[in-house]
Amino acid sequence: MKITIKLLSDLCTCSGETYNSVVDMDVVYDENGIPYIPAKRIKGCIREAALEMKEMGFISEAQYESVFGKEGNTKSKLILSSAYIQDYENIVESLKYFHKNELVSQQNVETGVADENSLRTIRVVNKGLVFEAECELKMNEADRKVVEQAVSLVKHMGVSRTRGLGLVEMKLEDGKKKKAEHVLFKKDQLSDKNKIGYKIHLKSPMICKSAKGNQADTEN
């Protein structure tokens, strides 16, 4: 099985290192300069999504601990590798032909840099790339379903999420079916703690389109 991660926006995995006092936050990349997403980062995002499911009452504490373990007691059943870009091995082979070329630098391959006018410089991985991580699920069908749902709920990863970075689409796939089903919750699974109350204050007149489709006729 594998987890695919499609970047819907630029991503910064933040290695914690700086480059030449120019780049404040850098991406994580291998010895070839090709960016990857560490397994620990991926697993943390999946665990975070599952924790939200538990807090909302969609899975129990026992189900959560069965998959992700309990500190000092049981180990996690979810085993996965770091995620590398699709066709990684062929790309590495191609780079070997240009090992003397300036292109093959750990700072020049497959990355971009954020806005020039920003006070901080962030190196990012370009939007549109697809990463793949090998995944091993040593668990029963119920636990596997929890993982599938949690993976589908992961929508952001990395740093500066509130500034438009790190929007992702994650899927758990295997050879038996095209893709794992997206998590769906039935109406009877929802309760008061899943509801969010809100008020709308009109600052100007508003017309609510009628069921007849008449823009000049407003609803009550």
Side-chain angles (χ1 to χ4, degrees), residues 79-107:
I79 302 173
L80 51 84
S81 69
S82 296
Y84 293 87
I85 58 177
Q86 285 183 330
D87 208 25
Y88 172 78
E89 292 182 358
N90 288 333
I91 292 173
V92 171
E93 285 297 317
S94 297
L95 287 175
K96 289 180 180 179
Y97 288 102
F98 301 96
H99 66 280
K100 294 182 180 179
N101 192 303
E102 190 179 79
L103 169 66
V104 188
S105 160
Q106 290 185 336
Q107 282 73 37

Side-chain angles (χ1 to χ4, degrees), residues 128-144:
L129 287 174
V130 177
F131 290 77
E132 295 178 339
E134 296 298 322
C135 182
E136 184 178 349
L137 304 180
K138 295 182 177 180
M139 57 188 71
N140 58 38
E141 190 61 30
D143 288 344
R144 173 174 166 165

Side-chain angles (χ1 to χ4, degrees), residues 67-79:
V67 175
F68 297 99
K70 188 174 182 180
E71 187 175 352
N73 189 359
T74 55
K75 294 183 178 180
S76 171
K77 295 178 182 177
L78 177 60
I79 302 173

Side-chain angles (χ1 to χ4, degrees), residues 115-152:
D115 297 339
E116 293 181 3
N117 295 327
S118 173
L119 295 177
R120 295 181 62 83
T121 305
I122 303 175
R123 198 192 304 275
V124 298
V125 182
N126 295 333
K127 168 185 175 181
L129 287 174
V130 177
F131 290 77
E132 295 178 339
E134 296 298 322
C135 182
E136 184 178 349
L137 304 180
K138 295 182 177 180
M139 57 188 71
N140 58 38
E141 190 61 30
D143 288 344
R144 173 174 166 165
K145 191 66 176 179
V146 171
V147 175
E148 288 181 355
Q149 292 178 337
V151 167
S152 71

Side-chain angles (χ1 to χ4, degrees), residues 26-36 85 88 91-92 95 103-111 123 125:
D26 208 348
V27 300
V28 181
Y29 47 79
D30 64 12
E31 65 275 8
N32 299 298
I34 301 177
Y36 70 94
I85 58 177
Y88 172 78
I91 292 173
V92 171
L95 287 175
L103 169 66
V104 188
S105 160
Q106 290 185 336
Q107 282 73 37
N108 291 341
V109 181
E110 290 288 352
T111 60
R123 198 192 304 275
V125 182

